[in-house]
């Protein structure tokens, strides 16, 4: 598809390791493309780096990997209506703090991340699975999750926490994406253009995770 008159919408999928980000992205791509949407996936630059070099990056290599992730996302948005980003530069900044005690990447990473129209944060409810060089172990998942949430809160970015297993996990993510895609129609009906925000049916808090929790049977 040729370049768009305006960049496509970016859905950023972020979260700790072994929380199903890549699987979720693939399933979203399969379902949305089957509906005829102009959608593409941006893969993880860090994984490509590890595969190419056979090792994890040094501290001085982190910034370039973050910049490459951002470049890929921006390039994809020029030719597709919807971009599913399998992580953003934010995750590089988080791991730089966790592993190297380097917080210098946050400023640029957070600026880059705000280009996303929506952020999906994968929950820690899946079992940890070893996957090559880029996974450090189950003990780092909670610290990573905490750092991601802190950064999103600093940015003031609304996000939806995606929990559940298998089809239910994908369905919950789809609900959030469909809410984003339906936004123009809702805004036209309301006569105003507000930024996407998910409202929890339990408490009207757009950042509340209760929306994703299983409902008790009546």
């Amino acid at each position: 598809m040729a370049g768009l008159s305006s960049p496509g919408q970016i859905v950023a999928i972020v979260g700790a390791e072994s929380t199903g980000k890549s699987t979720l992205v693939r399933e979203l791509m399969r379902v949305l493309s089957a509906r005829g949407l102009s959608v593409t996936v941006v893969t993880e630059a860090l994984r490509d780096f590890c595969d190419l070099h056979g090792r994890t990056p040094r501290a001085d290599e982190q910034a370039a990997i973050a910049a490459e992730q951002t470049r890929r996302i921006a390039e994809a948005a020029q030719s597709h209506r919807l971009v599913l980003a399998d992580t953003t530069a934010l995750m590089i900044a988080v791991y730089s703090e966790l592993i190297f005690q380097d917080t210098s990447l946050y400023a640029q990473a957070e600026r880059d991340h705000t280009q996303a129209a929506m952020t999906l944060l994968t929950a820690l409810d899946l079992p940890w699975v070893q996957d090559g060089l880029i996974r450090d172990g189950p003990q780092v998942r909670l610290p990573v999750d905490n750092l991601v949430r802190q950064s999103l809160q600093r940015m003031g970015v609304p996000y939806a926490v995606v929990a559940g297993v298998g089809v239910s996990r994908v369905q919950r993510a789809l609900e959030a994406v469909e809410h984003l895609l339906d936004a123009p129609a809702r805004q036209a009906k309301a006569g105003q253009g507000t930024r996407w925000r998910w409202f929890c049916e339990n408490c009207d808090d757009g950042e509340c995770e209760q929306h994703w929790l299983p409902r008790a049977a009546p």
Side-chain angles (χ1 to χ4, degrees):
M1 182 176 179
L4 303 175
S5 57
S6 60
Q9 292 181 301
I10 299 165
V11 175
I13 295 88
V14 296
E17 62 185 32
S18 197
T19 54
K21 294 186 295 297
S22 296
T23 298
L24 182 62
V25 166
R26 287 195 298 269
E27 286 301 300
L28 289 174
M29 175 68 180
R30 180 182 63 80
V31 173
L32 295 171
S33 60
R35 297 179 182 178
L37 294 174
S38 171
V39 57
T40 191
V41 168
V42 174
T43 56
E44 190 177 3
L46 173 59
R47 182 178 295 276
D48 293 340
F49 177 97
C50 293
D51 289 345
L52 178 63
H53 297 281
R55 60 175 177 83
T56 56
R58 302 187 305 268
D60 63 295
E61 295 170 318
Q62 295 282 90
I65 296 171
E68 171 61 13
Q69 190 72 39
T70 296
R71 185 199 66 77
R72 292 182 182 188
I73 294 170
E75 182 178 70
Q78 297 305 312
S79 55
H80 294 83
R81 293 293 181 187
L82 186 66
V83 175
L84 303 174
D86 187 353
T87 80
T88 68
L90 173 59
M91 295 308 303
I92 308 299
V94 164
Y95 280 105
S96 287
E97 177 178 4
L98 187 73
I99 298 171
F100 302 113
Q101 296 75 54
D102 177 9
T103 61
S104 66
L105 301 187
Y106 276 114
Q108 184 63 53
E110 290 178 353
R111 284 194 294 270
D112 294 343
H113 189 93
T114 58
Q115 298 305 304
M118 168 184 289
T119 299
L120 301 179
L121 173 62
T122 49
L124 303 180
D125 56 344
L126 297 181
W128 185 85
V129 178
Q130 177 63 47
D131 183 23
L133 294 170
I134 65 173
R135 292 192 175 169
D136 298 298
Q139 73 281 359
V140 307
R141 296 207 301 178
L142 183 57
V144 167
D145 186 76
N146 288 337
L147 290 173
V148 172
R149 291 168 186 264
Q150 290 169 19
S151 179
L152 293 172
Q153 290 165 6
R154 275 198 305 272
M155 288 184 273
V157 171
Y159 60 92
V161 177
V162 182
V165 179
V167 173
S168 66
R169 197 178 191 89
V170 176
Q171 183 57 42
R172 288 168 182 177
L174 273 172
E175 289 172 1
V177 174
E178 287 165 349
H179 191 75
L180 172 67
L181 296 175
D182 291 342
R186 293 197 310 276
Q187 291 167 5
K189 184 176 180 180
Q192 61 183 5
T194 56
R195 182 178 174 85
W196 172 84
R197 186 172 177 82
W198 185 273
F199 286 94
C200 172
E201 65 187 58
N202 289 340
C203 63
D204 293 333
D205 181 352
E207 295 178 0
C208 177
E209 295 179 26
Q210 294 298 316
H211 172 78
W212 302 110
L213 297 179
R215 298 290 185 266

